[in-house]
Amino acid sequence: METSDHLRVQYDFRSGTVLLQCRNRSHVLAERFRTKESAEAAAIQFARKNWDYSEPQSETQH
């Protein structure tokens, strides 16, 4: 998963850990996540709390 704000999330299913990178920062969450989706959600939450990350707004209109 990669966003326009350059948040990169890499989930390792064997260990259940997730590596997140944003600009010049990186961090590993070693909480033994069971799914890729839960790992990605935790990574986004961590980035919001610790790195002032905000997800880009959707540019699609209906």
Side-chain angles (χ1 to χ4, degrees):
M1 174 184 154
E2 191 166 344
T3 67
S4 62
D5 196 22
H6 305 292
L7 178 65
R8 183 175 173 143
V9 178
Q10 297 177 349
Y11 173 63
D12 179 55
F13 72 94
R14 290 183 182 168
S15 66
T17 61
V18 62
L19 167 67
L20 59 149
Q21 301 169 307
C22 188
R23 296 186 183 114
N24 63 341
R25 300 173 176 176
S26 63
H27 186 75
V28 174
L29 298 176
E31 298 180 24
R32 301 216 175 249
F33 298 98
R34 292 180 180 232
T35 66
K36 181 179 179 181
E37 292 77 16
S38 64
E40 289 176 349
I44 291 170
Q45 183 179 11
F46 177 91
R48 283 181 182 159
K49 181 178 178 184
N50 296 287
W51 297 343
D52 296 323
Y53 171 76
S54 61
E55 290 184 85
Q57 297 294 322
S58 176
E59 297 181 13
T60 59
Q61 294 180 345
H62 295 278

